[in-house]
């Protein structure tokens, strides 16, 4: 395509189109124009899109006509998500992925499967000016293309980092972070391009244009963000949590997903009162903006953007052809990701399996879930469940399973009306069309009806952030609803279902009481279901003397009463056992070891050392009230942060964050008054799964894995988890022993240390820590990081009563001067302590001379004796 005088492509229809576009500035309500041989009916051209400036829809179309030569190359063959504002930026907007039914036949689309081969989303492809003008006439202010091109939608042609400043930060902070991202990418031989987002952020584009898939690109982007956060913790965060973003910039790596689209370069934005443009800029321009603190110079309105492009040309043009590859370790992920994804989805249904005996219930057992199809419209189902209390179960297809919520009073119809929705375990996709009865002895019991079924679109939000703005298109429900977690920190399983958009007319009683699949009432389903259940029930009773469902003959097990038992311990190893078929693996959780039991006197919790934990963790004790009588289980008490990750630091401040506390159980020692320590591990695990299936969310099963150790180690390191516990499948429970039947492998550095002193400060500068060897306390390092103000104050109050005049460390003073050493001169700054307090310390590595590098205080440990702390 040749270029015209203005640098635009010269073609048969462009000049005509642009001349026609000048008519939009006349105050007319509509027009009919012919562009590129396509007749377009343009409507409501004088409708104001941006009220503050009076910028109209006609001017929006005018802008996209002028910008077409620059934006179209970046949109070609990319599926487009429309973000439509029918009443301008002051009104409601919605995302539209499926081409509307009134889309002209000449507009190209690309079908992408969603839930089955026969169900697809037809994404619009904006490959030419007529389609771009049609899109603008639809009040599609922002153009959001995929990172990949059709037909290879699994291959992103680029990486994108969205640098989004939090509260008390601004676009200049985003510029500062942009250079940090650029420099890191340069070290990896990757060139990047930058654009201002048209809002308060900056977008970095990293061209690929090779056969890289999302399985490699997203983990790479995440690793970059996490590394930057580690290197610049005062400026950068890599997580979505708003609480952590104050004064910092989020390096949002999550856009690198096959399910997401990113605003195009040169697109209008609807984020502010004025029509700003997502504009390509040079690195020199960012440098000048930082030096002069010129924020205004980073915002471009349409006229300025068009004038600028005529002068500079397309600064992103080179990104269309530049070929770059990711580091080899991330490319290797592409071949193994599929199997890992299937394994993850299978594990997601483990709780569902544990709560059901499929020899008794008519509910469908889960099969291996298929990958979720690309696209925004997915399956939803609402099942009416007449159990001990009538309620409704809302289920949404996500990640190959059905995320589920129990809604006691059913969906709300009035605008802004909210209903309680309690999150429950995931269900298999097969459950979506289940209707029938569940026996009373099984989980839930009662009669189930498919009350409504259809598809939903995610208009905004994210499940992991705790907010979903949904559009339901069902047989009964049509319209917008919002699912939101019940507290600001997103903890617990309490959600609310809220009616949004507009109110919905209530259903007639006949429709309210009938199945969306069969038209049957609950009563008819119950009669039919009971008949089936009774006809299949014969021969299912177990013989007397065997506990139903447990497959354990209790009469053969010795009697035992619930009391403290010394926990079995794991040996530390530098690698995991190679004979993986003999072992199962569990994630090493960073919390407090805890035995939990219940007898006629009530529930009790014990620490690893036998101290009572019952008052420390009242929510766990309350959950243990539902344990079978005379039962004792073994596990780890942990605290979960907003993303569901284990946080030892949060465990230290549990009184203000009690809902985040969980007990992850991994063994059972006593069951209904009988000792189970003589059973093999797999038998105990099976029994434990049955016990936990009837308990609340406060107590959960610690998952076990049967995979190749190398694969599990790689995932553990990548996710920043503490380590792995390997257990022999046929091992017995050996109280108080480290027999080698359990092995712990630390994937990431961190362990307990004894606090033997501190350096002076306000109220202290650093704690001085060490470990015992041959009965002597040896100095390991000074720890300055990890002390937020209230933690520093609390710890100082614990240190003061322990002050002594003699140094407790046997290897001080040190002679060699290093950044970590304590020489005789340095020791004068120290206050010494009785070595009684034990702290959890995270660090990157041991130095050659035996000191901790980049250490961080995570919290105090009450469950460990100082004399037991050795170098691991």
């Amino acid at each position: 395509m040749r270029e015209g005088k203005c640098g635009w492509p010269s073609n048969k229809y462009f000049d005509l189109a642009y001349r026609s576009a000048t008519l939009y500035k006349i105050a007319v309500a509509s027009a009919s124009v012919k562009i590129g041989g396509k007749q377009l009916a343009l409507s409501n051209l004088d409708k104001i899109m941006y009220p503050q400036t009076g910028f109209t829809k006609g001017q929006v179309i005018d802008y996209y006509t002028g910008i077409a030569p620059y934006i179209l190359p970046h949109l070609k063959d990319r599926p487009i998500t429309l973000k439509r504002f029918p009443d301008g930026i002051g009104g409601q907007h919605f995302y539209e992925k499926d081409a509307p039914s009134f889309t002209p036949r000449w507009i190209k689309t690309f079908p992408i499967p969603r839930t089955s081969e026969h169900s697809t989303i037809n994404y619009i492809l904006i490959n030419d000016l007529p389609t771009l003008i049609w899109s603008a006439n639809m009040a599609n202010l922002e153009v959001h293309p995929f990172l990949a091109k059709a037909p290879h939608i699994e291959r992103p042609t680029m990486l994108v980092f969205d640098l989004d400043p939090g509260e008390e930060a601004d676009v200049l902070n985003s510029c500062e972070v942009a250079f940090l991202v650029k420099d890191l990418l340069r070290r990896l031989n990757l060139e990047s391009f930058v654009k201002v987002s048209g809002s308060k952020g900056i977008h970095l584009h990293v061209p690929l244009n090779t056969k890289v898939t999302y399985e490699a690109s997203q983990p790479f982007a995440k690793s970059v963000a996490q590394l930057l956060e580690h290197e610049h913790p005062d400026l950068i965060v890599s997580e979505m949590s708003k609480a952590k973003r104050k004064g910092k910039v989020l390096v949002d790596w999550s856009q690198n997903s096959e399910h997401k689209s990113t605003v195009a370069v040169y697109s209008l934005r609807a984020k502010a009162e004025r029509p700003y443009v997502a504009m390509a800029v040079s690195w020199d321009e960012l440098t000048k903006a930082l030096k002069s603190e010129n924020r205004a110079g980073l915002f471009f309105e349409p006229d300025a953007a068009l004038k600028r492009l005529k002068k500079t040309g397309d600064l992103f043009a080179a990104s269309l052809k530049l070929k770059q590859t990711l580091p080899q370790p991330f490319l290797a992920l592409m071949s193994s990701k599929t199997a890992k994804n299937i394994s993850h989805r299978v594990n997601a249904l483990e709780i569902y399996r544990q709560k059901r005996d499929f020899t008794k219930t008519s509910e469908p057992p889960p099969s291996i879930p298929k990958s979720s199809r690309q696209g925004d419209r997915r399956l939803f189902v609402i099942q009416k469940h007449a159990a001990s209390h009538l309620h409704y179960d809302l289920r949404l297809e996500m990640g190959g399973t059905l995320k589920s919520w129990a809604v006691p009073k059913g969906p709300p119809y009035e605008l802004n009306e909210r209903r309680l929705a309690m999150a429950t375990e995931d269900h298999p996709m097969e459950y979506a069309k289940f209707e029938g009865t569940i026996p009373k002895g099984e989980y839930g019991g009662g009669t189930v009806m498919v009350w409504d079924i259809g598809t939903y679109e995610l208009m905004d939000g994210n499940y992991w952030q705790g907010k979903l703005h949904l559009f339901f298109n069902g047989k009964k429900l049509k319209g917008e609803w919002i699912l939101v977690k019940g507290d600001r920190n997103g903890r617990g399983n309490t959600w609310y279902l809220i009616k949004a958009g507009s109110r919905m007319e209530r259903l007639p009683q006949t429709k309210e009481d009938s199945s969306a699949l069969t038209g049957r009432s609950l009563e008819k389903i119950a009669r039919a279901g009971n008949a089936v259940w009774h006809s299949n029930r014969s021969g299912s009773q177990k013989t007397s003397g065997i506990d139903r469902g447990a497959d354990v003959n209790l009469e053969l097990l010795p009697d035992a009463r619930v009391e403290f038992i010394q926990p079995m311990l794991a040996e530390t190893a530098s690698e995991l056992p190679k004979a993986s078929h003999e072992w199962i693996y569990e994630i090493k959780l960073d919390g407090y070891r805890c035995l939990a039991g219940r007898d006629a006197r009530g529930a009790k919790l014990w620490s690893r050392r036998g101290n009572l934990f019952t008052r420390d963790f009242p929510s766990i004790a309350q959950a243990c009230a539902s344990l079978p009588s005379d039962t004792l289980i073994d596990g780890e008490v942990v605290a979960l942060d907003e993303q569901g990750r284990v946080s030892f630091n949060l465990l230290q401040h549990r009184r203000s964050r009690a809902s985040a506390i969980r007990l992850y159980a991994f063994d059972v020692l006593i069951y209904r008054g009988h000792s189970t320590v003589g059973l093999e591990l797999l038998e105990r695990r099976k029994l434990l799964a049955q016990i936990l299936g009837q308990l609340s969310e406060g107590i959960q099963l610690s998952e076990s894995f049967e995979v190749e150790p190398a694969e599990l180690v790689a995932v553990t390191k990548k996710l920043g988890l503490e380590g792995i516990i390997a257990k022999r499948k046929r091992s017995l429970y050996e109280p108080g022993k480290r027999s080698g039947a359990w092995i712990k492998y630390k994937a990431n550095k961190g362990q307990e240390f004894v606090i033997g002193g501190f350096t002076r400060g306000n109220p202290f500068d650093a704690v001085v820590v060490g470990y015992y060897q041959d009965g002597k306390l040896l100095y390991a390092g000074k720890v300055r990081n990890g002390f937020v103000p209230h933690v520093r104050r609390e710890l100082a109050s614990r240190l003061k009563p322990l002050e002594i005049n003699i140094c407790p460390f046997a290897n001080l003073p040190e002679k060699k001067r290093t950044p970590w050493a304590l020489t005789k001169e340095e020791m004068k700054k120290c206050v010494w302590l009785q070595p009684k307090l034990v702290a959890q310390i995270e660090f990157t590595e041991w130095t050659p001379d035996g000191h901790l590098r980049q250490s961080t205080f995570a919290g105090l440990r009450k469950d460990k004796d100082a004399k037991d702390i050795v170098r691991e």
Side-chain angles (χ1 to χ4, degrees):
M1 188 176 287
R2 295 182 293 109
E3 287 193 355
K5 294 180 180 179
C6 298
W8 298 336
S10 176
N11 53 54
K12 293 181 179 179
Y13 62 79
F14 182 78
D15 291 337
L16 173 63
Y18 192 69
R19 285 197 302 272
S20 298
T22 61
L23 297 175
Y24 304 157
K25 296 179 180 178
I26 303 173
V28 293
S30 62
S32 180
V33 295
K34 194 170 186 179
I35 302 177
K38 310 301 182 186
Q39 195 71 35
L40 292 172
L42 307 177
S43 60
N44 299 317
L45 299 179
D46 56 353
K47 177 177 282 188
I48 294 177
M49 295 286 105
Y50 295 81
Q52 187 180 48
T53 62
F55 201 77
T56 65
K57 190 165 84 167
Q59 289 173 293
V60 169
I61 296 172
D62 192 11
Y63 169 74
Y64 276 116
T65 302
I67 208 72
Y70 305 100
I71 194 173
L72 284 174
H74 297 284
L75 302 180
K76 184 174 174 59
D77 293 333
R78 297 183 188 276
I80 302 293
T81 296
L82 306 179
K83 189 175 181 181
R84 296 174 58 191
F85 293 76
D87 298 312
I89 65 169
Q92 290 189 343
H93 71 272
F94 61 95
Y95 291 89
E96 190 158 38
K97 297 193 175 185
D98 213 351
S101 57
F102 50 82
T103 303
R105 291 186 179 181
W106 49 265
I107 287 182
K108 292 182 179 180
T109 61
F110 183 77
I112 300 178
R114 39 186 179 225
T115 57
S116 73
E117 296 297 336
H118 305 291
S119 179
T120 59
I121 289 179
N122 287 303
Y123 282 87
I124 289 169
L125 303 180
I126 301 182
N127 287 355
D128 52 35
L129 182 61
T131 307
L132 183 61
I133 299 305
W134 176 86
S135 165
N137 186 57
M138 295 275 291
N140 180 41
L141 299 184
E142 297 187 359
V143 182
H144 289 253
F146 275 31
L147 298 182
K149 290 185 175 183
H152 303 295
I153 59 167
E154 76 285 356
R155 296 184 199 165
T157 65
M158 70 187 87
L159 285 163
V160 173
F161 293 95
D162 181 1
L163 311 182
D164 186 11
E167 184 183 350
E168 297 184 8
D170 63 12
V171 69
L172 292 182
N173 298 110
S174 296
C175 291
E176 186 180 352
V177 172
F179 282 100
L180 296 175
V181 180
K182 177 195 176 189
D183 292 343
L184 176 56
L185 293 171
R186 272 280 180 85
R187 301 204 303 262
L188 299 171
N189 297 316
L190 291 170
E191 295 296 322
S192 55
F193 294 74
V194 64
K195 74 174 190 275
V196 291
S197 70
S199 182
K200 59 181 180 177
I202 298 288
H203 293 171
L204 253 76
H205 290 237
V206 184
L208 299 175
N209 298 312
T210 51
K211 293 185 178 180
V212 175
T213 64
Y214 287 104
E215 282 91 350
S217 65
Q218 188 180 65
F220 172 76
K222 182 178 182 181
S223 297
V224 167
Q226 291 177 332
L227 178 57
L228 287 166
E229 180 182 29
H230 178 74
E231 292 180 346
H232 308 278
D234 295 332
L235 180 60
I236 294 173
V237 293
S238 62
E239 301 170 0
M240 290 288 184
S241 171
K242 288 186 178 181
K244 296 183 178 181
R245 290 166 59 183
K246 189 173 182 179
K248 300 181 182 181
V249 175
L250 167 68
V251 178
D252 186 359
W253 52 268
S254 67
Q255 295 295 105
N256 299 283
S257 167
E258 61 183 335
H259 303 294
K260 292 191 175 183
S261 54
T262 301
V263 70
V265 64
Y266 309 128
S267 169
L268 287 175
R269 299 309 306 273
K271 294 281 190 178
E273 292 297 320
R274 307 185 72 85
Y276 292 126
V277 176
M279 195 70 189
V281 294
S282 68
W283 288 106
D284 286 342
E285 288 176 296
L286 286 194
T287 300
K288 292 177 182 177
L290 273 174
K291 287 183 178 179
S292 63
E293 296 188 0
N294 181 15
R295 296 168 178 80
L298 297 175
F299 292 86
F300 300 86
E301 294 194 40
D303 287 345
L306 288 167
K307 289 178 183 178
R308 171 187 167 86
L309 280 166
K310 290 178 186 179
K311 181 179 179 181
T312 65
D314 180 10
L315 297 180
F316 264 44
S319 70
L320 296 171
K321 295 182 179 180
L322 178 61
K323 293 185 178 182
Q324 302 188 111
T325 57
L326 300 180
Q328 186 59 41
F330 292 94
L331 297 178
L333 290 173
M334 293 192 292
S335 60
S336 61
K337 187 72 172 184
T338 301
K340 290 179 182 178
N341 282 343
I342 292 175
S343 175
H344 172 76
R345 290 192 295 273
V346 170
N347 289 333
L349 295 171
E350 191 59 35
I351 296 176
Y352 174 85
R353 288 191 191 91
Q354 294 162 8
K355 291 185 176 182
R356 289 155 179 82
D357 183 344
F358 295 107
T359 64
K360 301 176 183 178
T361 183
S362 55
E363 296 171 284
S367 60
I368 294 179
K370 297 180 180 179
S371 298
S372 289
R373 303 292 181 177
Q374 173 68 39
D376 199 44
R377 295 189 185 178
R378 298 170 185 269
L379 180 70
F380 91 90
V381 63
I382 296 179
Q383 288 164 312
K384 197 171 183 178
H385 190 173
S388 56
H389 298 284
L390 180 67
H391 67 276
Y392 296 75
D393 292 306
L394 168 63
R395 311 192 194 282
L396 304 177
E397 178 195 358
M398 290 184 197
T401 63
L402 293 173
K403 293 288 181 188
S404 300
W405 292 261
V407 185
K409 296 184 178 180
Y413 296 134
E414 298 295 329
L415 184 61
N416 298 323
E417 181 184 6
R418 66 169 55 198
R419 296 281 174 84
L420 179 67
M422 300 298 292
T424 61
E425 77 276 10
D426 293 354
H427 282 54
M429 291 299 297
E430 294 89 343
Y431 202 95
K433 295 186 178 181
F434 170 73
E435 277 192 345
T437 56
I438 308 169
K440 290 183 179 179
E442 290 302 298
Y443 176 70
T447 304
V448 176
M449 167 208 287
V450 176
W451 184 81
D452 194 17
I453 192 167
T455 61
Y456 78 92
E457 294 181 70
L458 180 60
M459 299 177 67
D460 198 8
N462 181 292
Y463 173 81
W464 305 108
Q465 294 174 15
K467 183 178 180 180
L468 298 165
H469 189 171
L470 308 164
F471 188 92
F472 289 140
N473 186 17
K475 294 187 176 182
K476 295 180 179 179
L477 298 186
K478 295 184 187 294
E480 297 178 43
W481 278 263
I482 292 174
L483 259 175
V484 62
K485 275 202 169 183
D487 63 70
R488 293 179 180 177
N489 296 310
R491 304 185 304 270
N493 62 348
T494 300
W495 294 62
Y496 292 98
L497 181 62
I498 305 169
K499 184 68 184 79
S502 59
R503 70 181 299 274
M504 178 180 159
E505 293 295 329
R506 292 193 172 273
L507 298 171
Q509 196 62 39
T510 52
K511 200 170 183 180
E512 167 69 33
D513 292 337
S514 64
S515 164
L517 287 180
T518 63
R520 297 182 298 170
S521 65
L522 275 169
E523 185 180 355
K524 288 183 178 180
I525 294 170
R527 287 201 300 267
N530 283 333
V532 172
W533 168 244
H534 285 298
S535 66
N536 290 332
R537 190 176 178 184
S538 60
S540 67
Q541 299 289 336
K542 292 185 179 290
T543 59
S544 61
I546 300 178
D547 193 76
R548 288 179 58 86
D551 293 331
V552 173
N553 192 333
L554 296 181
E555 291 181 345
L556 300 179
L557 299 179
D559 294 338
R561 67 176 188 174
V562 173
E563 58 186 3
F564 173 71
I565 296 176
Q566 289 282 347
M568 185 172 175
L569 304 174
E571 285 188 345
T572 302
S574 59
E575 60 180 11
L576 291 173
K578 294 182 179 179
S580 58
H581 62 282
E582 299 178 6
W583 301 77
I584 63 171
Y585 304 94
E586 297 171 28
I587 299 300
K588 188 177 187 302
L589 299 172
D590 194 6
Y592 291 150
R593 187 75 175 270
C594 179
L595 298 181
R598 176 193 167 226
D599 60 14
R601 296 167 293 178
K604 278 189 178 181
L605 309 179
W606 289 274
S607 74
R608 170 183 167 179
R609 299 166 62 187
N611 297 322
L612 280 177
F613 262 172
T614 312
R615 291 185 178 179
D616 295 79
F617 302 104
S619 62
I620 301 299
Q622 184 177 357
C624 287
S626 299
L627 281 171
S629 182
D630 299 312
T631 295
L632 180 68
I633 60 178
D634 190 1
E636 191 93 357
V637 172
V638 302
L640 306 180
D641 65 14
E642 297 87 1
Q643 283 72 43
R645 300 175 309 182
V646 173
S647 169
F648 185 77
N649 185 270
L650 183 59
L651 191 61
Q652 304 298 299
H653 307 93
R654 57 188 176 271
R655 299 194 188 282
S656 60
R657 306 283 294 278
S659 62
I661 303 299
R662 300 285 185 275
L663 171 63
Y664 279 90
F666 47 73
D667 220 320
V668 54
L669 315 187
I670 299 172
Y671 179 59
R672 296 193 182 278
H674 297 272
S675 173
T676 58
V677 299
L679 297 176
E680 292 181 356
L681 175 63
L682 289 186
E683 291 179 282
R684 301 198 307 273
R685 292 276 307 183
K686 185 177 180 181
L687 180 59
L688 179 65
Q690 178 197 335
I691 294 169
L692 300 185
Q694 306 300 320
L695 302 186
S696 69
E697 187 188 32
I699 305 178
Q700 298 180 6
L701 181 70
S702 176
E703 286 193 22
S704 62
F705 306 89
E706 296 186 51
V707 296
E708 287 301 315
E711 181 179 349
L712 190 56
V713 169
V715 172
T716 302
K717 288 183 176 180
K718 177 185 169 187
L719 296 178
L721 301 176
E722 185 182 6
I724 301 163
I725 302 290
K727 298 179 179 179
R728 288 192 180 275
K729 294 179 180 178
R730 304 193 64 180
S731 63
L732 309 183
Y733 194 96
E734 300 172 84
K737 293 185 179 179
R738 298 185 194 267
S739 66
W742 291 9
I743 291 175
K744 63 180 177 182
Y745 167 85
K746 288 210 170 185
N748 292 284
K749 301 296 184 183
Q751 69 161 77
E752 304 88 12
F753 289 92
V754 180
I755 300 178
F758 63 88
T759 57
R760 294 181 179 89
N762 185 20
F764 65 85
D765 179 52
V767 293
V768 183
V769 301
Y771 57 91
Y772 279 95
Q773 180 176 305
D774 299 327
K776 297 179 180 179
L777 183 64
L778 301 183
Y779 166 72
K782 292 176 288 185
V783 182
R784 283 189 171 88
N785 297 322
F787 300 107
V788 296
H790 71 277
V791 172
R792 191 179 295 273
R793 289 193 300 270
E794 290 173 9
L795 181 58
S797 67
R798 300 287 301 275
L799 300 179
K800 186 68 175 175
L802 300 177
E803 292 182 11
I804 55 177
N805 295 322
I806 302 173
C807 173
F809 295 99
N811 58 339
L812 293 181
E814 295 177 302
K815 295 182 179 180
K816 184 179 178 181
R817 290 182 177 274
T818 69
W820 305 277
L822 266 182
T823 62
K824 187 175 182 179
E825 191 64 25
E826 289 290 321
M827 288 174 65
K828 294 178 181 178
K829 303 175 184 177
C830 296
V831 176
W832 306 115
L833 304 171
Q834 299 175 48
K836 292 184 177 182
L837 295 180
V838 177
Q840 180 73 27
I841 305 296
E842 306 299 332
F843 59 98
T844 56
E845 62 181 356
W846 288 93
T847 66
D849 52 357
H851 294 131
L852 305 179
R853 192 192 300 274
Q854 295 183 10
S855 55
T856 301
F857 177 87
L860 290 178
R861 300 205 64 119
K862 294 169 55 179
D863 58 332
K864 300 292 179 71
D865 192 301
K867 291 291 185 181
D868 294 335
I869 304 304
V870 298
R871 176 170 170 172
E872 296 182 353

